[in-house]
Amino acid sequence: MTARELDAAGITDPSLRAAYTACRRLNARHGKTYFLATRLLPLDRRAAVHALYGFARYADDIVDDLGTTATALDRGNALDALERQWLRAVRGERVPQPVVRAAADTRTRYGIGAHHFSDFLASMRSDLSVEEYATYADLEGYMHGSAAVIGLQMVPVLGTVVPRAEAEPYAAALGVAFQLTNFLRDVGEDLDRGRVYLPADLLAAHGVDRGLLVWSRRTGRRDARITSALRAAAALTRGVYRAAEPGIGRLDPVSAPCVRTAFVLYGDILGAIERDGYAVVHRRAAVGRRRRAAVALRGLAGALVARRAPRTGARAGGPQGRIGRAVRADGRHPAPPGGGGSVTGRRGEETV
């Protein structure tokens, strides 16, 4: 975290400044799209975004890191330890883990509901035992905790021009769209982890099952049925993007260019997957550096215009009270108009 960003956010305690800085480093190392988009935010909001991402990324590494020999039991114990620190931090206790300290401080500053973090950790825990999802409805339950709540955490930081409860369903849907994009891009790597996130019923509709995916990954050979299933998953994902897009206009204008940039770059991943012939079982599709730079420059231009414009009616991000919530009887946030938003987050990890 730069000193200017920390000063603008009003973070003065030296140990907290160090914690937020650790989160920023984690973001810069693992989340190229998020980090790039975050730089389009006003200085005073960047620290909070880095803290929220850092907490999610740290937990994700515990359950997903392919570079260690940790067993499921080891990972479960590490996740338990992280959750214990989180609960202590929420109670106001001092904890040693920097990402926990920064995220807990951000939660307090912006009035973010603690249940969003609990739901997130519950989905992380399921990754230690759940290897596939029979239906899209089953996957929705997982994504509520792994991605939708990340969008919900972000709403009070970004600020809105409408009541927060009106913006939240769109934010949840956008988290899901990013998550589904990750699932598509990472099919091969997830197979290496023993997981298949694409719903079994969607795959079966095209004649695909886990065995065929594993065979394709192991042999490097393609199969038209897999391509057909992946194309259908991409179409489903684009539908969620369409449902989420109107929410960008409900954000504070100074934050909207950041989200629009992430929206475009993540959508570009789907385009890269298509251009690569849906070969994600064998390799990741990537968005070129020139394209990333062009989108970022457009976002920067929009951000500069928004910052110079008079501020009218925006509910700016900041420690200004609790989040408004519109919740269905089952405890989920309502879907945005147009459908697709009932799907609800895997973490925002990505390399575009």
Side-chain angles (χ1 to χ4, degrees):
M1 193 66 56
T2 67
R4 289 178 64 229
E5 290 169 343
L6 292 167
D7 291 344
I11 301 165
T12 57
D13 177 81
S15 61
L16 263 182
R17 288 170 74 93
Y20 275 98
T21 299
C23 292
R24 186 182 191 274
R25 292 195 190 106
L26 196 59
N27 193 351
R29 186 164 66 249
H30 290 291
K32 292 182 181 179
T33 299
Y34 279 169
F35 187 76
L36 180 63
T38 299
R39 291 177 66 83
L40 302 179
L41 286 173
L43 283 171
D44 62 335
R45 305 188 196 186
R46 297 178 192 175
V49 175
H50 289 311
L52 296 175
Y53 177 88
F55 182 82
R57 178 72 240 187
Y58 188 86
D60 187 69
D61 280 347
I62 289 175
V63 299
D64 268 358
D65 189 359
L66 286 169
T68 75
T69 58
T71 65
L73 179 61
D74 294 333
R75 296 174 193 269
N77 289 337
L79 200 59
D80 288 342
L82 177 67
E83 187 164 22
R84 285 194 296 271
Q85 285 203 47
W86 171 253
L87 293 174
R88 288 174 53 201
V90 169
R91 293 194 297 266
E93 299 179 28
R94 187 182 180 91
V95 297
Q97 176 49 247
V99 298
V100 174
R101 296 190 62 206
D105 182 68
T106 291
R107 189 197 78 81
T108 300
R109 287 174 183 266
Y110 287 89
I112 301 171
H115 58 288
H116 292 324
F117 297 88
S118 299
D119 289 350
F120 170 76
L121 290 171
S123 282
M124 295 304 95
R125 191 172 304 283
S126 73
D127 272 334
L128 299 175
S129 57
V130 180
E131 296 182 343
E132 60 187 46
Y133 294 88
T135 68
Y136 191 61
D138 294 327
L139 184 63
E140 286 180 324
Y142 169 78
M143 291 195 297
H144 168 72
S146 66
V149 297
I150 304 300
L152 297 173
Q153 290 170 15
M154 289 286 291
V155 170
V157 178
L158 298 172
T160 64
V161 293
V162 297
R164 286 179 182 172
E166 182 180 328
E168 285 179 333
Y170 297 96
L174 187 56
V176 169
F178 291 167
Q179 176 85 102
L180 289 169
T181 303
N182 285 343
F183 288 157
L184 265 172
R185 184 204 57 198
D186 297 341
V187 167
E189 291 180 13
D190 287 332
L191 281 170
D192 294 342
R193 297 182 178 102
R195 301 190 202 127
V196 177
Y197 285 101
L198 300 181
D201 60 350
L202 182 151
L203 296 174
H206 298 269
V208 179
D209 59 14
R210 173 188 284 266
L212 183 61
L213 291 172
V214 170
W215 168 84
S216 181
R217 176 72 169 173
R218 186 181 69 250
T219 64
R221 296 175 64 181
R222 304 286 297 276
D223 188 288
R225 292 169 293 178
I226 295 176
T227 300
S228 178
L230 295 174
R231 186 178 291 113
L236 181 155
T237 303
R238 290 192 187 281
V240 182
Y241 275 106
R242 287 193 295 272
E245 186 173 14
I248 299 175
R250 289 163 167 79
L251 297 175
D252 187 337
V254 298
S255 297
C258 163
V259 179
R260 171 67 65 180
T261 297
F263 178 93
V264 172
L265 288 175
Y266 256 92
D268 281 352
I269 297 175
L270 294 179
I273 291 170
E274 181 179 8
R275 289 190 298 274
D276 197 34
Y278 296 94
V280 289
V281 173
H282 311 294
R283 59 182 176 267
R284 269 191 176 198
V287 178
R289 185 174 299 176
R290 184 174 299 178
R291 169 62 177 172
R292 294 202 308 267
V295 174
L297 283 173
R298 285 203 299 270
L300 177 60
L304 292 175
V305 169
R307 291 174 200 174
R308 292 169 182 158
R311 302 299 301 282
T312 57
R315 291 164 172 82
Q320 300 177 17
R322 311 299 294 179
I323 305 175
R325 285 174 54 79
V327 185
R328 304 187 319 210
D330 61 3
R332 298 280 184 84
H333 282 73
S342 62
V343 202
T344 49
R346 179 162 148 203
R347 291 73 68 201
E349 96 207 58
E350 38 63 49
T351 304
V352 193

